[in-house]
Amino acid sequence: MRRLGLLLLAAGVGLAFGPARAELVLRPTRPAPTDLEVSGPFPGGRTNGFLTRDQLLALPPTLATNAMDTAVKSRAVYRGIPLLQLRSLLGLDGRADTLFAVCSDGYAKAFEADYLSAFQSLLILEINGTGPETWGRSKLTGLEMAPYYINAADFAPRPDQNVLGLPEDLHFPYGVVRIEFRTAASTVDRLRLPGTASASAKQGAVIAVRDCLACHGHADFGGTMSGRPWLLLKTWSSNTNFFRRYVVKPKSIQPASSMPGFTHYEAPVLDALQAYFRELKIGELRR
Ligand code: HEC
């Protein structure tokens, strides 16, 4: 994907009403299904609320062109708000280094600090000039794209993020209904292993957080769509044959499984994943 750069336009509305921050007053309830829920340690003590689509449209827009959008399967011009800008406008800088984009089906993708600063992911309000009512379904999965979509126009996997030959993945959740502003310490870091763990298990931890957490959450973070939490994966990891076959080709074990198979995983990746879940000690899981 070619880097086309971001074009910042100041919206007339933003200028007329002064600092955008004053406009981001959270509503206590969801006035419409097209509104966005946000949660986090907001200044003033609130921990969740709603932003209307009109509030988001009134912010100075960022425009970015993606030469080939993975879900739309064509060139796409985005109009949106950078997630980092949204965090600032909500007064959460320094309070939330990690965020989760939660979708209507319980899928919840983690955006870690380094990813956020590398790729300028946008909360997308319009694609090619039109709103969510015209977006339809993802050409990749057939799932509804509305009400919010997050993507980055200038993504290219960073070579230093390769693990066992697997490049880092583009984060492009759609059907997003909530953004949770969290910290790494209270979420993903709790799933990492201590320094004494094997090298393979540590590589497995990176892959598991990247590829499994969005559907298999732990405690109050990560996805709920599988209905199978993180520690159940640990249980299954001791059954080598089941675990490896399930991860690569779920339907070969459960014909009705709705989990996508990781057919590109080679044996060393499966070894690392298994090592990770085996070395993860429930008692030591950081709180
Ligand atoms: C897009 C969502 C999604 C992702 C990503 C995902 N899974 Fe799943 N997984 C599911 C769903 C849904 C099920 C339940 C299967 C069903 O009955 O439909 C499941 C079930 C499983 C099971 C069987 C558990 C049981 O009790 O039946 C294992 C093992 C598993 N997943 C491992 C993994 C691992 C390891 C990863 C990461 C490499 C992963 N999954 C990534 C959605 C996902």
Side-chain angles (χ1 to χ4, degrees), residues 20 40 51 67 70 88 102 108 113 135 253 260 278:
L51 293 169
T70 314
S88 293
V102 184
W135 295 350
I253 296 197
R278 286 180 173 183

Side-chain angles (χ1 to χ4, degrees), residues 30-36 147-148 177:
R30 188 189 288 276
T34 50
D35 297 331
L36 179 71
Y148 291 94
V177 292

Side-chain angles (χ1 to χ4, degrees), residues 41-69:
F42 300 110
R46 289 191 65 155
T47 54
N48 99 310
F50 297 87
L51 293 169
T52 66
R53 192 172 150 75
D54 286 346
Q55 278 177 296
L56 293 166
L57 284 168
L59 296 171
T62 293
L63 299 180
T65 301
N66 190 341
M68 182 46 75
D69 179 289

Side-chain angles (χ1 to χ4, degrees), residues 105-108 213-217 222-228:
D105 59 4
Y107 180 92
L213 184 61
C215 298
H216 297 280
T224 54
M225 76 162 282
S226 67
R228 273 83 167 165

